[in-house]
Amino acid sequence: MARWCSAFAWLSGLALLLAVVIALQKPHIDSDILALMPQSDTRIDSVEAHFFAGNKQQVMFSITGQNAEQVHDKLNDWLIANDLPARFNVPRIDALSQFYAPYAGRLLSEEYRAAVENQHTFSAFYYQKLSQIADPFVSATINLDASLSLGSFLAEQMQNLQTFNLEKNRLTAFHNDAKYYLLFAQISDNAFGINEAELLTASIDQQLKQLSADFPQTTVRYSGAVFHTSANASQAKYEMALFGTLSLLALITMIVWVFRSSVALWLASLTVMSAILGGAAVLLAVFSQVHILTLVFAVTLIGIAIDYSFHGMLDLCSGGRKGYSRGLKLALLLSLLTTSLGYASLYFSPMLLLAQVGVFVVAGLFSAWLCTLFITQQWQHQLIIAAPIINIADKLKVSLLGLLQLRRYAIAASVGLITVCYLHTPVSLNNDVRLLNASPQALIENEAFHLSLLGRDNGQIMIMFADDEQALLEQLTTFKTALQLQSPDAELNLLSDLLPSIAMQERNSALVKAKHRQGVFTPVENMTGQPFSASTKVLTLESLLASPLAPLIEQQVMRDDEFVASWFMVTDVPASVLAEFASADPQLLTYNKVALLSEGLTHYSHSLLITLGCAILLAAILFAWRFGMVCAFKQSGVLVLTIAIILSLCSVLQGSLSIFNLLGSLLVMALSIDYLVFYQINQLSRENIIAISLSAASSMWVFGMLAMSITPAIYSFGLTIMIGLMAIFVLAPLTLELPKSKENR
């Protein structure tokens, strides 16, 4: 009875600890892929938060087909009814005219600059504009600025800004000779919680299915970050349920098969539950926001924690002593230390996912170790090994002894396999951040299509930094002039187009006054009967932020205590040309989020390679201290062979390696050291062979589940560990000395 009380007290204590942490922290489960990524420097992080947070909350629909107008209107009404307001509003020309009117003569279009070259060219330009009665910019500005400098300026800017056409308050665009009606909606920031994202996506999907049924000849495409969030969250929840269930069933089968006892099943479950509760409590205490992919990777804790239970129960079944053997206690402690050190290193990872997995597993293993050490041994007298398992262990021992005699050939075969794999596919790293994405192909294709529809499929986002606003505007103007000289087809809309610097406004004003003295504006004076006069009022950023263009300007400029910045899109310019401009100007940055994140992952991959090397070195020192130099040399050689087999085989099967292969290799390294330690301490004893075989089988099953994931990162992680465990299971016994003939009989 006492042992049941202690077990339930232990579980109750862990459950209470978890409940207290949840109550205090109020944790949130996140599924935003970008939340996992390494952070950039502070300046870039600030710019990203300011410029691109709005884009994250945007969803876009494109509609084409026979009844596109009806579908557009019905979908628009549904969006409004569901509190998803339109995000795109075209400024009215009359409102813009009223705002810019006080600055007439200080804001000049390129066409107007050319026209005021002399009186003849200006007269031709002026009378041609006056004859265009239907031109909305002429009719809206003629009474405000008779010189038409304002109308010409607004016409140029609106032509650049307006990517779409406006037909009866509907946005339209043409692509590949097809007409598309466009809708942009703004979702709330709290829609990115897992449940909220799934509910919103399901609601939109249901509405689109209804529209498809009512109007079968119409096609609606949709895109937006929230759809990726929902897709990845749903996939992660499905994989967690599937992998967890299959792993649990496999473990139950193994335990019942080996021990034929419900007590053994209870003790294994107790160890796993301890690991999960302890790991979850510490994880939520350290991180108030946990990513759902952390939970997918953390399923692997089941495969590691139950090893402690296997070794503990099998050790209790051997001999007539009470409690654990000294060798088992030492091996368990060394196992805990080596595995924990491997995972603890992940806490310092710049990638949040790895840091969270590291904390969860280390805390979980410590809980499992305590449970095994103090709770499991209380059931010693109820544990026995099934007779068929003993027979299998004896046969397996004979096989291992045979393999040990063929040690040289096994090592030669391993080296040969590594060589063939490397010659077939040389090892290379591919750390594309999209390896974390499990979105459906249709959604990815919709994103690509909408980028093409918006004219951004060949565009490059750039960010200009400066010390103050006027310096920023001057730098933007200089960059545009230089870029268009080198690439005349370049298209870019800059803040400095809508807001020329004060220096540029002064130059424009001086030009207009000089041309007035030369009589260029005589047609204007003849038309109005009034002497021509240019404005002296200066347009500032503060004024523009109070204009009808304020929503657009707020998205283009950021002001900080230490710098100001503006982002813009450049199209029809080779990436190499933009890279040259960026390398020549420290204030100019070519911004590619995927490339930046992938570069960060690549940098961390190199750090992981160094970590693997250091892990092998530390293991060699540990082995030399505990088992001697000769044994340490053999064990270190096996570790190197195992890692080499993993990397070479994964490279062949995947085409390249990623950070997740290296992460899996780090885990295999920790498990490999466990196997090597247990073999050296307990040799080829029957119980040790059963424990290591069970450990390997359960881990291969649990981790092998991950190799079925459709998320490339999880697949790579699972495949790596599957290959590594098979390799170390064969290679680890090769470090033992061949027993003498009497022992071998």
Side-chain angles (χ1 to χ4, degrees), residues 100 107-108 110 153 156-157 160 473 476-477 480 492-501 539 544 556:
Y100 274 109
L107 313 173
L108 305 180
E110 293 299 322
F153 174 79
E156 180 180 83
Q157 299 309 317
N160 292 336
L473 297 172
L476 289 171
T477 302
K480 183 173 185 177
L492 64 165
N493 301 318
L494 304 180
L495 175 66
S496 56
D497 295 332
L498 294 169
L499 175 63
S501 66
L539 177 61
L544 199 58
Q556 284 188 298

PDB file of all heavy atoms in Angstrom, residues 100 107-108 110 153 156-157 160 473 476-477 480 492-501 539 544 556:
ATOM      1  N   TYR A 100      -2.939  68.871 -51.198  1.00  0.00           N
ATOM      2  CA  TYR A 100      -1.691  69.275 -51.829  1.00  0.00           C
ATOM      3  C   TYR A 100      -1.729  70.699 -52.409  1.00  0.00           C
ATOM      4  O   TYR A 100      -0.678  71.252 -52.761  1.00  0.00           O
ATOM      5  CB  TYR A 100      -1.333  68.301 -52.957  1.00  0.00           C
ATOM      6  CG  TYR A 100      -0.575  67.077 -52.497  1.00  0.00           C
ATOM      7  CD1 TYR A 100      -1.175  65.822 -52.476  1.00  0.00           C
ATOM      8  CD2 TYR A 100       0.752  67.170 -52.097  1.00  0.00           C
ATOM      9  CE1 TYR A 100      -0.483  64.692 -52.060  1.00  0.00           C
ATOM     10  CE2 TYR A 100       1.461  66.065 -51.679  1.00  0.00           C
ATOM     11  CZ  TYR A 100       0.836  64.822 -51.661  1.00  0.00           C
ATOM     12  OH  TYR A 100       1.536  63.715 -51.251  1.00  0.00           O
ATOM     13  N   LEU A 107       6.036  70.973 -55.778  1.00  0.00           N
ATOM     14  CA  LEU A 107       5.972  69.536 -56.057  1.00  0.00           C
ATOM     15  C   LEU A 107       5.799  69.371 -57.562  1.00  0.00           C
ATOM     16  O   LEU A 107       4.737  69.690 -58.104  1.00  0.00           O
ATOM     17  CB  LEU A 107       4.803  68.890 -55.310  1.00  0.00           C
ATOM     18  CG  LEU A 107       4.659  69.256 -53.822  1.00  0.00           C
ATOM     19  CD1 LEU A 107       3.362  68.695 -53.255  1.00  0.00           C
ATOM     20  CD2 LEU A 107       5.857  68.724 -53.030  1.00  0.00           C
ATOM     21  N   LEU A 108       6.795  68.876 -58.231  1.00  0.00           N
ATOM     22  CA  LEU A 108       6.771  68.807 -59.691  1.00  0.00           C
ATOM     23  C   LEU A 108       6.950  67.376 -60.182  1.00  0.00           C
ATOM     24  O   LEU A 108       7.801  66.637 -59.677  1.00  0.00           O
ATOM     25  CB  LEU A 108       7.879  69.680 -60.293  1.00  0.00           C
ATOM     26  CG  LEU A 108       7.913  71.149 -59.881  1.00  0.00           C
ATOM     27  CD1 LEU A 108       9.071  71.863 -60.576  1.00  0.00           C
ATOM     28  CD2 LEU A 108       6.585  71.834 -60.189  1.00  0.00           C
ATOM     29  N   GLU A 110       7.951  64.686 -63.296  1.00  0.00           N
ATOM     30  CA  GLU A 110       8.997  64.678 -64.319  1.00  0.00           C
ATOM     31  C   GLU A 110       8.483  65.279 -65.615  1.00  0.00           C
ATOM     32  O   GLU A 110       9.213  65.985 -66.333  1.00  0.00           O
ATOM     33  CB  GLU A 110       9.488  63.247 -64.555  1.00  0.00           C
ATOM     34  CG  GLU A 110      10.226  62.632 -63.376  1.00  0.00           C
ATOM     35  CD  GLU A 110      11.477  63.422 -63.017  1.00  0.00           C
ATOM     36  OE1 GLU A 110      12.157  63.916 -63.951  1.00  0.00           O
ATOM     37  OE2 GLU A 110      11.773  63.568 -61.819  1.00  0.00           O
ATOM     38  N   PHE A 153       1.385  66.562 -60.943  1.00  0.00           N
ATOM     39  CA  PHE A 153       2.034  65.837 -59.846  1.00  0.00           C
ATOM     40  C   PHE A 153       1.140  64.710 -59.334  1.00  0.00           C
ATOM     41  O   PHE A 153       1.589  63.563 -59.163  1.00  0.00           O
ATOM     42  CB  PHE A 153       2.358  66.809 -58.714  1.00  0.00           C
ATOM     43  CG  PHE A 153       2.900  66.155 -57.477  1.00  0.00           C
ATOM     44  CD1 PHE A 153       4.227  65.752 -57.403  1.00  0.00           C
ATOM     45  CD2 PHE A 153       2.075  65.920 -56.372  1.00  0.00           C
ATOM     46  CE1 PHE A 153       4.732  65.139 -56.257  1.00  0.00           C
ATOM     47  CE2 PHE A 153       2.570  65.316 -55.232  1.00  0.00           C
ATOM     48  CZ  PHE A 153       3.901  64.923 -55.180  1.00  0.00           C
ATOM     49  N   GLU A 156       0.817  61.760 -61.821  1.00  0.00           N
ATOM     50  CA  GLU A 156       1.991  60.889 -61.833  1.00  0.00           C
ATOM     51  C   GLU A 156       2.017  59.989 -60.606  1.00  0.00           C
ATOM     52  O   GLU A 156       2.278  58.775 -60.714  1.00  0.00           O
ATOM     53  CB  GLU A 156       3.252  61.737 -61.885  1.00  0.00           C
ATOM     54  CG  GLU A 156       4.543  60.920 -61.912  1.00  0.00           C
ATOM     55  CD  GLU A 156       5.771  61.809 -61.963  1.00  0.00           C
ATOM     56  OE1 GLU A 156       6.191  62.280 -60.883  1.00  0.00           O
ATOM     57  OE2 GLU A 156       6.287  62.029 -63.070  1.00  0.00           O
ATOM     58  N   GLN A 157       1.728  60.546 -59.432  1.00  0.00           N
ATOM     59  CA  GLN A 157       1.795  59.759 -58.208  1.00  0.00           C
ATOM     60  C   GLN A 157       0.697  58.699 -58.143  1.00  0.00           C
ATOM     61  O   GLN A 157       0.949  57.548 -57.750  1.00  0.00           O
ATOM     62  CB  GLN A 157       1.709  60.677 -56.980  1.00  0.00           C
ATOM     63  CG  GLN A 157       2.821  61.690 -56.882  1.00  0.00           C
ATOM     64  CD  GLN A 157       4.194  61.047 -57.030  1.00  0.00           C
ATOM     65  OE1 GLN A 157       4.469  59.986 -56.470  1.00  0.00           O
ATOM     66  NE2 GLN A 157       5.058  61.683 -57.807  1.00  0.00           N
ATOM     67  N   ASN A 160       1.424  55.769 -60.331  1.00  0.00           N
ATOM     68  CA  ASN A 160       2.411  54.867 -59.730  1.00  0.00           C
ATOM     69  C   ASN A 160       1.810  54.042 -58.593  1.00  0.00           C
ATOM     70  O   ASN A 160       2.149  52.874 -58.414  1.00  0.00           O
ATOM     71  CB  ASN A 160       3.594  55.676 -59.190  1.00  0.00           C
ATOM     72  CG  ASN A 160       4.405  56.317 -60.300  1.00  0.00           C
ATOM     73  OD1 ASN A 160       4.404  55.848 -61.438  1.00  0.00           O
ATOM     74  ND2 ASN A 160       5.093  57.402 -59.981  1.00  0.00           N
ATOM     75  N   LEU A 473      14.910  61.261 -47.090  1.00  0.00           N
ATOM     76  CA  LEU A 473      14.293  61.664 -48.355  1.00  0.00           C
ATOM     77  C   LEU A 473      15.347  61.953 -49.421  1.00  0.00           C
ATOM     78  O   LEU A 473      15.182  61.595 -50.595  1.00  0.00           O
ATOM     79  CB  LEU A 473      13.401  62.885 -48.129  1.00  0.00           C
ATOM     80  CG  LEU A 473      12.200  62.664 -47.194  1.00  0.00           C
ATOM     81  CD1 LEU A 473      11.498  63.982 -46.894  1.00  0.00           C
ATOM     82  CD2 LEU A 473      11.233  61.659 -47.800  1.00  0.00           C
ATOM     83  N   LEU A 476      16.785  58.572 -50.608  1.00  0.00           N
ATOM     84  CA  LEU A 476      15.855  57.864 -51.482  1.00  0.00           C
ATOM     85  C   LEU A 476      15.873  58.444 -52.887  1.00  0.00           C
ATOM     86  O   LEU A 476      15.881  57.714 -53.890  1.00  0.00           O
ATOM     87  CB  LEU A 476      14.434  57.933 -50.907  1.00  0.00           C
ATOM     88  CG  LEU A 476      14.169  57.103 -49.645  1.00  0.00           C
ATOM     89  CD1 LEU A 476      12.800  57.431 -49.065  1.00  0.00           C
ATOM     90  CD2 LEU A 476      14.262  55.613 -49.956  1.00  0.00           C
ATOM     91  N   THR A 477      15.883  59.773 -52.978  1.00  0.00           N
ATOM     92  CA  THR A 477      15.916  60.425 -54.289  1.00  0.00           C
ATOM     93  C   THR A 477      17.197  60.089 -55.037  1.00  0.00           C
ATOM     94  O   THR A 477      17.183  59.780 -56.241  1.00  0.00           O
ATOM     95  CB  THR A 477      15.790  61.946 -54.121  1.00  0.00           C
ATOM     96  OG1 THR A 477      14.573  62.256 -53.425  1.00  0.00           O
ATOM     97  CG2 THR A 477      15.791  62.647 -55.468  1.00  0.00           C
ATOM     98  N   LYS A 480      17.061  56.442 -56.304  1.00  0.00           N
ATOM     99  CA  LYS A 480      16.175  56.246 -57.448  1.00  0.00           C
ATOM    100  C   LYS A 480      16.810  56.763 -58.732  1.00  0.00           C
ATOM    101  O   LYS A 480      16.756  56.101 -59.777  1.00  0.00           O
ATOM    102  CB  LYS A 480      14.839  56.946 -57.197  1.00  0.00           C
ATOM    103  CG  LYS A 480      13.819  56.720 -58.316  1.00  0.00           C
ATOM    104  CD  LYS A 480      12.459  57.290 -57.952  1.00  0.00           C
ATOM    105  CE  LYS A 480      11.423  56.939 -59.024  1.00  0.00           C
ATOM    106  NZ  LYS A 480      10.074  57.434 -58.656  1.00  0.00           N
ATOM    107  N   LEU A 492       9.739  51.589 -59.088  1.00  0.00           N
ATOM    108  CA  LEU A 492       9.746  51.695 -57.631  1.00  0.00           C
ATOM    109  C   LEU A 492       9.004  52.951 -57.213  1.00  0.00           C
ATOM    110  O   LEU A 492       9.078  53.984 -57.882  1.00  0.00           O
ATOM    111  CB  LEU A 492      11.167  51.707 -57.078  1.00  0.00           C
ATOM    112  CG  LEU A 492      12.109  52.868 -57.425  1.00  0.00           C
ATOM    113  CD1 LEU A 492      13.311  52.852 -56.486  1.00  0.00           C
ATOM    114  CD2 LEU A 492      12.594  52.811 -58.854  1.00  0.00           C
ATOM    115  N   ASN A 493       8.245  52.830 -56.146  1.00  0.00           N
ATOM    116  CA  ASN A 493       7.508  53.954 -55.575  1.00  0.00           C
ATOM    117  C   ASN A 493       8.098  54.266 -54.209  1.00  0.00           C
ATOM    118  O   ASN A 493       8.079  53.419 -53.318  1.00  0.00           O
ATOM    119  CB  ASN A 493       6.019  53.605 -55.432  1.00  0.00           C
ATOM    120  CG  ASN A 493       5.392  53.250 -56.764  1.00  0.00           C
ATOM    121  OD1 ASN A 493       5.654  53.900 -57.762  1.00  0.00           O
ATOM    122  ND2 ASN A 493       4.565  52.214 -56.775  1.00  0.00           N
ATOM    123  N   LEU A 494       8.595  55.487 -54.078  1.00  0.00           N
ATOM    124  CA  LEU A 494       9.304  55.858 -52.859  1.00  0.00           C
ATOM    125  C   LEU A 494       8.536  56.900 -52.064  1.00  0.00           C
ATOM    126  O   LEU A 494       7.710  57.646 -52.608  1.00  0.00           O
ATOM    127  CB  LEU A 494      10.688  56.412 -53.202  1.00  0.00           C
ATOM    128  CG  LEU A 494      11.611  55.511 -54.033  1.00  0.00           C
ATOM    129  CD1 LEU A 494      12.929  56.215 -54.277  1.00  0.00           C
ATOM    130  CD2 LEU A 494      11.836  54.190 -53.329  1.00  0.00           C
ATOM    131  N   LEU A 495       8.836  56.964 -50.790  1.00  0.00           N
ATOM    132  CA  LEU A 495       8.277  58.009 -49.938  1.00  0.00           C
ATOM    133  C   LEU A 495       8.648  59.381 -50.467  1.00  0.00           C
ATOM    134  O   LEU A 495       7.847  60.319 -50.408  1.00  0.00           O
ATOM    135  CB  LEU A 495       8.807  57.822 -48.512  1.00  0.00           C
ATOM    136  CG  LEU A 495       8.432  58.897 -47.496  1.00  0.00           C
ATOM    137  CD1 LEU A 495       6.939  58.881 -47.237  1.00  0.00           C
ATOM    138  CD2 LEU A 495       9.204  58.696 -46.204  1.00  0.00           C
ATOM    139  N   SER A 496       9.838  59.509 -51.010  1.00  0.00           N
ATOM    140  CA  SER A 496      10.296  60.804 -51.521  1.00  0.00           C
ATOM    141  C   SER A 496       9.530  61.254 -52.758  1.00  0.00           C
ATOM    142  O   SER A 496       9.615  62.427 -53.141  1.00  0.00           O
ATOM    143  CB  SER A 496      11.792  60.740 -51.841  1.00  0.00           C
ATOM    144  OG  SER A 496      12.068  59.689 -52.742  1.00  0.00           O
ATOM    145  N   ASP A 497       8.784  60.336 -53.406  1.00  0.00           N
ATOM    146  CA  ASP A 497       7.931  60.753 -54.521  1.00  0.00           C
ATOM    147  C   ASP A 497       6.742  61.550 -54.003  1.00  0.00           C
ATOM    148  O   ASP A 497       6.363  62.576 -54.582  1.00  0.00           O
ATOM    149  CB  ASP A 497       7.430  59.526 -55.293  1.00  0.00           C
ATOM    150  CG  ASP A 497       8.555  58.768 -55.975  1.00  0.00           C
ATOM    151  OD1 ASP A 497       9.576  59.408 -56.316  1.00  0.00           O
ATOM    152  OD2 ASP A 497       8.423  57.545 -56.151  1.00  0.00           O
ATOM    153  N   LEU A 498       6.131  61.072 -52.936  1.00  0.00           N
ATOM    154  CA  LEU A 498       4.978  61.755 -52.347  1.00  0.00           C
ATOM    155  C   LEU A 498       5.393  62.908 -51.441  1.00  0.00           C
ATOM    156  O   LEU A 498       4.627  63.838 -51.229  1.00  0.00           O
ATOM    157  CB  LEU A 498       4.151  60.753 -51.531  1.00  0.00           C
ATOM    158  CG  LEU A 498       3.474  59.631 -52.325  1.00  0.00           C
ATOM    159  CD1 LEU A 498       2.936  58.572 -51.378  1.00  0.00           C
ATOM    160  CD2 LEU A 498       2.360  60.188 -53.191  1.00  0.00           C
ATOM    161  N   LEU A 499       6.612  62.813 -50.913  1.00  0.00           N
ATOM    162  CA  LEU A 499       7.114  63.843 -49.999  1.00  0.00           C
ATOM    163  C   LEU A 499       8.551  64.193 -50.378  1.00  0.00           C
ATOM    164  O   LEU A 499       9.503  63.637 -49.812  1.00  0.00           O
ATOM    165  CB  LEU A 499       7.052  63.347 -48.555  1.00  0.00           C
ATOM    166  CG  LEU A 499       7.653  64.265 -47.492  1.00  0.00           C
ATOM    167  CD1 LEU A 499       6.906  65.592 -47.414  1.00  0.00           C
ATOM    168  CD2 LEU A 499       7.670  63.572 -46.133  1.00  0.00           C
ATOM    169  N   PRO A 500       8.753  65.107 -51.335  1.00  0.00           N
ATOM    170  CA  PRO A 500      10.124  65.525 -51.651  1.00  0.00           C
ATOM    171  C   PRO A 500      10.770  66.179 -50.430  1.00  0.00           C
ATOM    172  O   PRO A 500      10.091  66.776 -49.589  1.00  0.00           O
ATOM    173  CB  PRO A 500       9.933  66.539 -52.783  1.00  0.00           C
ATOM    174  CG  PRO A 500       8.568  66.245 -53.343  1.00  0.00           C
ATOM    175  CD  PRO A 500       7.756  65.759 -52.191  1.00  0.00           C
ATOM    176  N   SER A 501      12.060  66.049 -50.321  1.00  0.00           N
ATOM    177  CA  SER A 501      12.777  66.687 -49.211  1.00  0.00           C
ATOM    178  C   SER A 501      12.626  68.198 -49.289  1.00  0.00           C
ATOM    179  O   SER A 501      12.279  68.759 -50.345  1.00  0.00           O
ATOM    180  CB  SER A 501      14.252  66.304 -49.255  1.00  0.00           C
ATOM    181  OG  SER A 501      14.859  66.854 -50.413  1.00  0.00           O
ATOM    182  N   LEU A 539       5.995  71.393 -47.391  1.00  0.00           N
ATOM    183  CA  LEU A 539       5.308  70.153 -47.054  1.00  0.00           C
ATOM    184  C   LEU A 539       6.216  69.329 -46.130  1.00  0.00           C
ATOM    185  O   LEU A 539       7.378  69.072 -46.442  1.00  0.00           O
ATOM    186  CB  LEU A 539       4.991  69.354 -48.320  1.00  0.00           C
ATOM    187  CG  LEU A 539       4.335  67.981 -48.110  1.00  0.00           C
ATOM    188  CD1 LEU A 539       2.987  68.120 -47.407  1.00  0.00           C
ATOM    189  CD2 LEU A 539       4.164  67.253 -49.447  1.00  0.00           C
ATOM    190  N   LEU A 544       1.835  65.345 -43.944  1.00  0.00           N
ATOM    191  CA  LEU A 544       1.435  64.224 -44.798  1.00  0.00           C
ATOM    192  C   LEU A 544       0.763  63.125 -43.980  1.00  0.00           C
ATOM    193  O   LEU A 544      -0.134  62.434 -44.464  1.00  0.00           O
ATOM    194  CB  LEU A 544       2.656  63.665 -45.530  1.00  0.00           C
ATOM    195  CG  LEU A 544       2.377  62.813 -46.780  1.00  0.00           C
ATOM    196  CD1 LEU A 544       1.583  63.598 -47.807  1.00  0.00           C
ATOM    197  CD2 LEU A 544       3.672  62.305 -47.380  1.00  0.00           C
ATOM    198  N   GLN A 556       5.018  53.182 -44.907  1.00  0.00           N
ATOM    199  CA  GLN A 556       6.254  53.383 -45.651  1.00  0.00           C
ATOM    200  C   GLN A 556       7.388  53.975 -44.829  1.00  0.00           C
ATOM    201  O   GLN A 556       8.545  53.876 -45.224  1.00  0.00           O
ATOM    202  CB  GLN A 556       6.005  54.300 -46.867  1.00  0.00           C
ATOM    203  CG  GLN A 556       5.317  53.616 -48.022  1.00  0.00           C
ATOM    204  CD  GLN A 556       5.292  54.513 -49.246  1.00  0.00           C
ATOM    205  OE1 GLN A 556       4.714  55.593 -49.226  1.00  0.00           O
ATOM    206  NE2 GLN A 556       5.934  54.071 -50.310  1.00  0.00           N
TER     207      GLN A 556
END
